[in-house]
Amino acid sequence: MKKITADMLVCMNDYDDQYPIRIDLVYARDDNTLFGEQIYKDDAKLFLYQDLADIILVAASRVYESHGLIMVVYDGLRTVNAQQRMLETQRVQDNLHWLQEPRLLSPPGAGGHPRAMAVDVSLEDVDGALLDMGTVFDFLAKDSEPEANPAHREYRNLSSQVIQNRNLLNNAFLGAAEMLLNKGDIEMPVEPLLQEWWDFRAPRAFYEQFAPLSDDDLPADMRLTYRS
C-alpha cells in the first residue's frame, strides 16, 4: 500500500488570501453542528492531497468569476485519531444508528478523509451569506435512505433554488476536475458522495491504494488532534 507523505499535502490556509475561498475548519471549534465538541486542536489547519487542492482552487476561481461566489472549505484531512475521537463524542454515543449500514460516519481509517482525498465544501456570497443547499452542512438524517434524507443528492423534495445551488457547486467541482485531468495536471478523478451534498472525494479504487494517515505520521505542526 502506498504511503502519503507530508510533502504530498497542501495547507489550504495558505491560499485563502490569494483565492476566493474561505477556510472554516469546523471541527476545531466546539460549536460545530454535528458533534457539539471540539475534535481538532486549536491551531489545526486544513490539509488536502495535492490533486484535490488543485481542483478546489480551480473550481473556486471559476465559480467566483462566473457567479461572484466564495467557496467555503470545512474539512479535508481527518486523521485516524480524529475519526476515533468523533466516534467517542456524546452526540455519536446518543445516535449509534449513525454507525449502522449504510454508515453515516466512517470507522477510523476508512474513506477519503484520512487520506486527505475528501473535502467538505459549500458556497457563500461576498457578504458571507451561505447559499441555501436544503440542509446545513453536516446534516445527518435519522433515515439515511435517499427518499428520506434531504442531504442526499438523490433526494427529490427540494425547491428549484436549492437544486440550482447544488448543481452550481457540483458542476464547478466536477468541471474543474475534468479540465485538470484532460490537461494531465492531476491523476486523481473526483466524484460526489451521494449521501452528502457537500462532500467531494477521490473514487474508492484510487484512495484505497494509499494507507490512512494518523497524527503520528505527520510533523507536529500538521497534526490535527491533541495526543496523550
Side-chain angles (χ1 to χ4, degrees):
M1 186 172 285
K2 301 175 186 178
K3 295 190 69 172
I4 299 170
T5 55
D7 63 305
M8 298 164 70
L9 302 177
V10 175
C11 179
M12 298 305 294
N13 302 73
D14 294 341
Y15 292 90
D16 62 358
D17 60 349
Q18 305 172 44
Y19 285 82
I21 63 173
R22 179 171 68 84
I23 306 302
D24 180 12
L25 193 58
V26 293
Y27 304 129
R29 305 197 313 263
D30 61 9
D31 63 348
N32 63 81
T33 302
L34 181 54
F35 302 108
E37 299 179 30
Q38 184 174 353
I39 306 297
Y40 300 157
K41 60 182 184 176
D42 291 336
D43 60 351
K45 295 184 177 180
L46 199 154
F47 292 94
L48 292 175
Y49 185 70
Q50 176 69 65
D51 284 8
L52 190 51
D54 290 345
I55 294 169
I56 281 275
L57 296 178
V58 170
S61 296
R62 284 182 161 193
V63 82
Y64 181 76
E65 291 166 4
S66 299
H67 303 279
L69 298 170
I70 308 297
M71 186 165 289
V72 186
V73 190
Y74 292 116
D75 197 34
L77 173 63
R78 189 181 300 166
T79 56
V80 174
N81 313 68
Q83 287 181 303
Q84 181 60 43
R85 171 77 184 89
M86 289 173 172
L87 299 188
E88 294 168 354
T89 60
Q90 189 60 51
R91 186 74 56 79
V92 173
Q93 292 303 304
D94 290 341
N95 293 276
L96 292 177
H97 60 280
W98 291 346
L99 309 183
Q100 298 170 2
E101 297 296 340
R103 293 179 67 117
L104 294 178
L105 290 173
S106 298
H113 279 293
R115 296 161 173 87
M117 295 181 186
V119 67
D120 299 330
V121 294
S122 189
L123 295 171
E124 66 182 17
D125 64 25
V126 292
D127 296 319
L130 288 165
L131 268 60
D132 184 0
M133 295 293 186
T135 74
V136 296
F137 159 73
D138 252 359
F139 176 86
L140 290 190
K142 292 183 178 180
D143 186 340
S144 61
E145 293 301 315
E147 63 273 11
N149 179 10
H152 201 287
R153 294 175 190 269
E154 295 180 356
Y155 184 78
R156 293 290 175 257
N157 189 23
L158 298 170
S159 71
S160 60
Q161 186 62 61
V162 168
I163 292 171
Q164 179 179 320
N165 292 343
R166 289 192 184 186
N167 286 340
L168 198 161
L169 177 61
N170 196 63
N171 293 340
F173 220 98
L174 299 185
E178 182 179 15
M179 185 270 286
L180 291 169
L181 276 169
N182 289 340
K183 290 175 61 180
D185 291 340
I186 61 173
E187 62 175 357
M188 184 191 86
V190 71
E191 59 187 25
L193 185 66
L194 285 178
Q195 59 264 40
E196 297 177 356
W197 60 259
W198 54 84
D199 187 302
F200 295 85
R201 58 183 53 208
R204 177 177 291 183
F206 185 90
Y207 69 67
E208 285 191 343
Q209 299 175 57
F210 298 84
L213 288 163
S214 72
D215 282 326
D216 289 324
D217 296 320
L218 299 169
D221 62 339
M222 295 177 67
R223 294 170 184 160
L224 295 184
T225 65
Y226 296 109
R227 299 176 305 154
S228 57

